[in-house]
Amino acid sequence: FENSVPKYVRNLYFFTTIENSEHKTIYHRWRTEKQIFATIELQIKAGQNSIWSNKKLSSAWQGTWYLEVLDNNKDVIYRQTFSYSNQ
């Protein structure tokens, strides 16, 4: 997706490409400035080079969203920002 997601979209998927990380755990955190909606634990298997999570959205949750990739210590290693709105 671009930096803006229209509010009629109800289900978003977030894919992460992985290099040299087999048998490790990462997390996808779906949040806004005010609330964490989900922190999803993702186990990386041998030979796996991508991983994904998804979130069902409500049109009531309009505003700026952050999709964060966390390492096994739950430190943010990547952040994607998007606007969920009428556009």
Side-chain angles (χ1 to χ4, degrees):
F1 57 83
E2 299 288 327
N3 292 330
S4 182
V5 176
K7 74 174 187 174
Y8 64 81
V9 172
R10 294 288 189 248
N11 204 9
L12 271 180
Y13 292 82
F14 183 59
F15 289 83
T16 302
T17 301
I18 302 156
E19 295 178 6
N20 303 320
S21 296
E22 66 182 51
H23 303 296
K24 291 187 180 179
T25 302
I26 64 169
Y27 300 85
H28 281 175
R29 181 163 51 199
W30 297 75
R31 71 176 192 88
T32 63
E33 291 179 4
K34 298 178 183 177
Q35 181 177 353
I36 295 173
F37 283 85
T39 301
I40 302 166
E41 181 177 312
L42 302 164
Q43 299 288 324
I44 303 166
K45 298 175 182 158
Q48 194 171 19
N49 62 4
S50 66
I51 205 159
W52 59 273
S53 69
N54 72 310
K55 179 76 181 128
K56 291 186 180 193
L57 301 175
S58 166
S59 61
W61 300 341
Q62 294 181 59
T64 302
W65 277 76
Y66 305 93
L67 285 169
E68 298 172 332
V69 179
L70 312 176
D71 64 13
N72 60 343
N73 295 319
K74 295 193 178 176
D75 294 322
V76 176
I77 57 174
Y78 177 81
R79 180 178 290 126
Q80 173 72 44
T81 304
F82 70 93
S83 175
Y84 188 55
S85 64
N86 288 329
Q87 296 183 12

